[in-house]
């Protein structure tokens, strides 16, 4: 396999996406996750359609930001857990 095979845009975006998803394990806040998903989405689009680098970067930013704005609060609730009711401070549980 030639090195030029690894320099295809879809492979580069996939490697960036996987790297960012792994980095999310070390960086708190559920922020890098969306950029990893955005990079993977652009990698998939590069496989399906031949697009230029400027369009790739624009799609990466747009997909990542839209996903972050739409899904971040919902996913934080899923990972942190929802609380339906609070315990009364005067109630003894033991």
């Amino acid at each position: 396999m030639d090195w030029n095979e690894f320099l295809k845009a879809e492979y580069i975006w996939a490697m960036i996406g996987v790297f960012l998803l792994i980095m999310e394990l070390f960086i708190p806040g559920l922020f890098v996750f969306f950029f990893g998903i955005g990079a993977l989405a652009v990698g998939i689009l590069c496989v399906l359609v031949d697009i230029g680098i400027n369009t790739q970067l624009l799609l990466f930013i747009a997909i990542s930001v839209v996903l972050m704005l739409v899904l971040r609060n919902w996913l934080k609730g899923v990972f942190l857990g929802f609380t339906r009711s609070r315990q009364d401070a005067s109630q003894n549980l033991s």
Side-chain angles (χ1 to χ4, degrees):
M1 190 174 247
D2 193 10
W3 278 105
N4 291 332
E5 185 73 22
F6 288 110
L7 295 178
K8 288 186 174 181
E10 53 267 17
Y11 292 135
I12 293 172
W13 282 112
M15 288 186 284
I16 291 170
V18 169
F19 174 76
L20 290 172
L21 290 175
I22 291 171
M23 289 306 298
E24 180 61 41
L25 297 173
F26 303 105
I27 302 171
L30 197 64
F31 181 74
V32 179
F33 172 78
F34 298 106
F35 289 98
I37 296 297
L40 289 175
V42 172
I44 292 170
L45 286 173
C46 286
V47 170
L48 300 175
V49 181
D50 186 27
I51 51 180
I53 186 68
N54 291 336
T55 308
Q56 291 174 22
L57 291 173
L58 184 66
L59 284 171
F60 168 67
I61 293 168
I63 291 170
S64 301
V65 170
V66 167
L67 285 175
M68 187 180 348
L69 292 174
V70 172
L71 297 176
R72 187 167 186 263
N73 287 333
W74 178 73
L75 282 177
K76 281 182 76 173
V78 169
F79 287 118
L80 297 177
F82 291 105
T83 304
R84 292 186 182 253
S85 63
R86 302 254 182 223
Q87 177 186 350
D88 184 13
S90 63
Q91 183 182 11
N92 188 3
L93 295 176
S94 56

